[in-house]
């Protein structure tokens, strides 16, 4: 498996000037054109990791759970547009609160950036959309899970996403230092190792608390690659996680 290399610099967001401006100003606009303050957007490190993976793997169908202000969606769509010059790609996002909590801010910037032609959005709970996509035989090469961070919701997202992943497809979990997400990641590592394997990415991060956290196994993002279909038997032992 190829190890992705990630070197950070200030110009890392040049690939999407709109995203760079939003992050620099800490502001975006809502569906009525009002300026609003951003919060809870994926870190620049996360956005860089997603971008690196898209450049390396060139997935045609991508999925994200948790759209919010559209930070990760802008990064994903801009990078997909760059690698698929024929524009034969589709990015799907799921978020039940886009119009209520996020005031249609993501939809607005994605449309203004003319990225909406290759974008599909479901304003519903991921737990309801994902099984529908399975029934419709959809497959994805890269999935970013950044929706509800409750253990049960992350677990349900993981459970369905594995079934939606193409073979050799990638799933990225955000906020893995969060106990809920960490627990799901540990379940995967201890019980799903024949189906998902950790995907290596070299990410130089020299801050002391992060070095300690990484050593303890709490990384900001965890990336897995699908290496097999689920062949677990109903009586298989549950390994501690
Ligand atoms: C941390 S934010 C996502 C940030 C976004 N990925 C970005 O980079 O800008 C988490 C999002 O998950 C959404 N969310 C919460 N519960 C959800 C659910 N059950 N299904 C899908 N999305 C959910 C929230 O509305 C919120 O927009």
């Amino acid at each position: 498996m190829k190890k992705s290399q990630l070197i950070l610099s200030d110009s890392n967001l040049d690939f999407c000037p709109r995203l760079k401006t939003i992050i620099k100003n800490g502001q975006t606009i809502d569906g009525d054109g009002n300026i609003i303050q951003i919060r809870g957007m994926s870190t620049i490190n996360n956005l860089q990791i997603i971008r690196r993976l898209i450049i390396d793997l060139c997935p045609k169908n991508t999925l994200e759970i948790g759209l919010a202000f559209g930070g990760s969606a802008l990064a994903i769509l801009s990078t997909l547009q760059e690698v698929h010059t024929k524009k034969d790609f589709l990015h799907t996002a799921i978020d039940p609160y886009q119009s209520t909590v996020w005031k249609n801010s993501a939809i607005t910037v994605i449309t203004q950036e003319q990225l909406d032609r290759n974008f599909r959005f479901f304003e519903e709970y991921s737990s309801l959309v994902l099984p529908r996509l399975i029934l419709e035989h959809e497959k994805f090469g890269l999935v970013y899970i950044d929706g509800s961070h409750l253990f049960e919701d992350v677990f349900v997202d993981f459970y369905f996403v594995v079934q939606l992943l193409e073979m050799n497809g990638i799933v990225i979990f955000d906020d893995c230092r969060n106990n809920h997400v960490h627990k799901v990641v540990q379940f995967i590592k201890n019980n799903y190792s024949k189906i998902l394997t950790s995907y290596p990415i070299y990410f130089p991060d020299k801050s002391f608390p992060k070095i300690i956290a990484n050593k303890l196994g709490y990384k900001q993002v965890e990336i897995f690659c699908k290496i097999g279909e689920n062949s677990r038997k109903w009586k298989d032992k549950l390994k501690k996680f």
Side-chain angles (χ1 to χ4, degrees), residues 139-196:
K139 289 285 177 196
F140 299 89
L142 181 143
V143 181
Y144 184 45
I145 299 184
D146 187 21
S148 161
H149 285 28
L150 287 177
F151 168 81
E152 57 272 34
D153 290 332
V154 183
F155 193 91
V156 167
D157 286 346
F158 141 73
Y159 178 79
F160 289 128
V161 161
V162 176
Q163 298 174 57
L164 286 165
L165 269 186
E166 291 164 4
M167 198 53 71
N168 299 316
I170 296 285
V171 55
I172 307 158
F173 289 85
D174 182 35
D175 279 327
C176 296
R177 292 193 186 95
N178 176 308
N179 282 342
H180 295 256
V181 185
H182 181 69
K183 208 69 185 152
V184 177
V185 166
Q186 287 308 110
F187 171 84
I188 296 171
K189 288 184 175 174
N190 295 346
N191 289 277
Y192 251 63
S193 58
K194 289 186 182 153
I195 303 150
L196 292 178

Side-chain angles (χ1 to χ4, degrees), residues 40-42 64-72 94-97 102 125-126 144 146-148:
M41 193 177 272
S42 295
E64 77 178 310
I65 300 165
L67 181 63
F69 293 115
S72 44
I94 305 170
D95 196 318
Y97 307 117
W102 309 100
Y125 292 104
S126 53
Y144 184 45
D146 187 21
S148 161

Side-chain angles (χ1 to χ4, degrees), residues 189-208:
K189 288 184 175 174
N190 295 346
N191 289 277
Y192 251 63
S193 58
K194 289 186 182 153
I195 303 150
L196 292 178
T197 191
S198 287
Y199 189 87
I201 185 154
Y202 174 63
F203 187 65
D205 187 346
K206 296 194 175 81
S207 85
F208 184 66

